[in-house]
Amino acid sequence: MKWVVFNQKGGVGKSTICTNLAAVSANLGYKTLLVDLDAQGNSTFYSGFVPDNEESLTVADMFKQVVGWFSTPNPPEAYTHPTAVENMSVLPASPALNDMERELESRYKMFKLRDTLKELDTFEHIFIDTPPNFNFYTKAALIAADAFIVPVDCDDFSVQAVSRLLDNVMELKSDHNPNLDFAGIVINQFSTQAKYPKKLIESLEAQNLPLFETRINSAIKVKESHAEALPLVVGYPKHKVSVQLNTLFEELVSE
Ligand SMILES: Nc1ncnc2c1ncn2[C@@H]1O[C@H](COP(=O)(O)OP(=O)(O)OP(=O)(O)O)[C@@H](O)[C@H]1O
Ligand SMILES: [Mg+2]
């Protein structure tokens, strides 16, 4: 099963949720792959992956190979690397993704990620992190995935942003991936006292949008775990937010 975590709004917790869900999956014994399509490489770093003298092949190299810019053909496994988490590998991001995007798009290479991930079928679960844009890489991820997860934050009241995002995804779904499922919206940085989350949840429910019951609280430890390059659920497995991320995973796989 392949999930993509997507929201074109920046900083809502895509990389945090994607990496931790992958780590939960790996902790439970599933052979898991984290795919980082954001040139910022936040998930790559957070997974604890340490590049081998810059020689480790990245997802950018994978795209180079499929368009024939890369002379040595490699098996898809060559682009995946172990992380700090047992059972979890990463297909790392690279800043080179930015430079390649226009060329890849103009040559209609949006389906190549799906084809590569199909070959990586020894991974039982794949989690794909995307950049905060509806760009080539996000589209490639939504085409490659079985289901998408949308994290939203409670900073402002952004139901309109969610509707816009869903319009984009639904168009892509009907054109290119009719089987894509909407796994659900996950509320991140949730606080019971604040007024925005309540309004947001009411509006999303009023529109009959799928909402995970599990909410993710805000916690300093989340930021600390990023700085330590170790997913929260691994570094602080008993932390309240780790428990929530485990429950979120259970909801996800029980769908
Ligand atoms: N539940 C949380 N509690 C506290 N901090 C959080 C939480 N979730 C995310 N953060 C922090 O918010 C920032 C943005 O999170 P993250 O990088 O996961 O978002 P993103 O949607 O992937 O961002 P981008 O759009 O830039 O890729 C990070 O500094 C992260 O540590
Ligand atoms: Mg991110």
Side-chain angles (χ1 to χ4, degrees):
M1 183 85 184
K2 303 180 204 74
W3 290 275
V4 53
V5 180
F6 168 60
N7 188 333
Q8 52 216 65
K9 185 171 175 206
V12 293
K14 292 180 288 295
S15 302
T16 303
I17 289 169
C18 190
T19 309
N20 277 291
L21 285 174
V24 170
S25 161
N27 280 343
L28 291 169
Y30 296 104
K31 196 171 176 235
T32 305
L33 178 66
L34 173 68
V35 179
D36 188 358
L37 291 178
D38 186 354
Q40 299 178 95
N42 293 341
S43 287
T44 302
F45 178 79
Y46 192 27
S47 75
F49 162 66
V50 182
D52 183 9
N53 296 325
E54 308 287 316
E55 281 174 22
S56 306
L57 294 171
T58 67
V59 73
D61 298 315
M62 186 275 288
F63 278 112
K64 282 181 195 165
Q65 175 166 315
V66 296
V67 292
W69 295 338
F70 203 54
S71 47
T72 357
N74 294 295
E77 291 76 16
Y79 300 94
T80 68
H81 310 284
T83 64
V85 185
E86 204 185 331
N87 287 324
M88 179 169 113
S89 296
V90 66
L91 183 47
S94 150
L97 287 171
N98 283 334
D99 309 328
M100 300 161 58
E101 188 186 348
R102 285 186 65 173
E103 180 80 16
L104 290 169
E105 184 144 42
S106 67
R107 292 172 65 177
Y108 303 104
K109 300 299 178 187
M110 237 156 50
F111 301 92
K112 292 296 181 184
L113 179 70
R114 178 190 65 191
D115 299 345
T116 304
L117 295 186
K118 258 190 199 150
E119 284 184 57
L120 288 168
D121 55 4
T122 56
F123 289 100
E124 295 167 276
H125 290 157
I126 298 182
F127 288 87
I128 311 171
D129 188 23
T130 55
N133 289 306
F134 194 64
N135 69 5
F136 169 85
Y137 299 110
T138 305
K139 291 176 198 165
L142 288 161
I143 289 170
D146 301 307
F148 66 101
I149 301 164
V150 178
V152 298
D153 62 11
C154 301
D155 266 7
D156 59 45
F157 185 62
S158 57
V159 178
Q160 289 83 352
V162 174
S163 308
R164 263 198 311 278
L165 171 160
L166 289 177
D167 287 346
N168 284 339
V169 178
M170 290 311 157
E171 187 179 349
L172 182 120
K173 172 180 154 102
S174 74
D175 288 347
H176 300 301
N177 188 4
N179 295 325
L180 181 69
D181 278 333
F182 189 3
I185 296 171
V186 52
I187 313 273
N188 187 28
Q189 310 237 34
F190 179 71
S191 143
T192 37
Q193 282 92 36
K195 83 170 191 261
Y196 281 137
K198 255 201 222 120
K199 273 174 83 180
L200 178 67
I201 291 166
E202 281 166 14
S203 308
L204 294 172
E205 281 174 344
Q207 291 182 47
N208 275 327
L209 292 170
L211 206 55
F212 287 105
E213 271 178 41
T214 313
R215 322 265 189 248
I216 309 296
N217 280 123
S218 184
I220 297 293
K221 273 277 178 280
V222 175
K223 284 199 198 306
E224 287 179 13
S225 69
H226 276 273
E228 291 163 11
L230 191 65
L232 185 84
V233 295
V234 178
Y236 305 94
K238 299 215 157 42
H239 191 277
K240 181 174 170 187
V241 173
S242 292
V243 175
Q244 291 166 341
L245 288 158
N246 274 275
T247 315
L248 179 64
F249 179 84
E250 279 169 31
E251 268 195 72
L252 193 61
V253 292
S254 67
E255 282 183 344

